[in-house]
Amino acid sequence: CPAPSDLRTANGTRICAQLYTDNSPYYDQCCGGSALMVYPGSDVPYMPHGWVATVSSLVVGTRCELTVWSRAGKKGKSRSFGA
């Protein structure tokens, strides 16, 4: 997985979080599969098509917090993640 301080696009734009579809009990094999980038200031009440219930690992950048909900539309239980 990338280090939280290394979350940037190829052109250097900062990324606050990166979510992945594949995970593994072996750390060096985590953060695989498709990746979804979350940019600073994003407010997304619904997951993009094809991402519902597929995230299995994530990395949150420094000075960022990612809050997720158990139900669509920011409903249900929430949980926050930081670097």
Side-chain angles (χ1 to χ4, degrees):
C1 295
S5 60
D6 292 339
L7 287 182
R8 299 200 178 276
T9 63
N11 69 3
T13 303
R14 186 168 173 248
I15 300 170
C16 267
Q18 199 153 331
L19 292 71
Y20 300 90
T21 57
D22 294 346
N23 195 10
S24 171
Y26 303 103
Y27 185 76
D28 62 336
Q29 296 173 16
C30 288
C31 301
S34 298
L36 177 65
M37 292 181 236
V38 180
Y39 295 96
S42 295
D43 184 12
V44 183
Y46 298 93
M47 290 297 284
H49 180 73
W51 279 89
V52 175
T54 62
V55 175
S56 63
S57 55
L58 59 90
V59 177
V60 179
T62 54
R63 299 187 327 264
C64 288
E65 181 178 80
L66 176 70
T67 303
V68 297
W69 286 264
S70 61
R71 300 183 66 199
K74 296 183 180 181
K75 295 181 181 168
K77 294 181 181 182
S78 66
R79 182 166 180 187
S80 295
F81 298 91

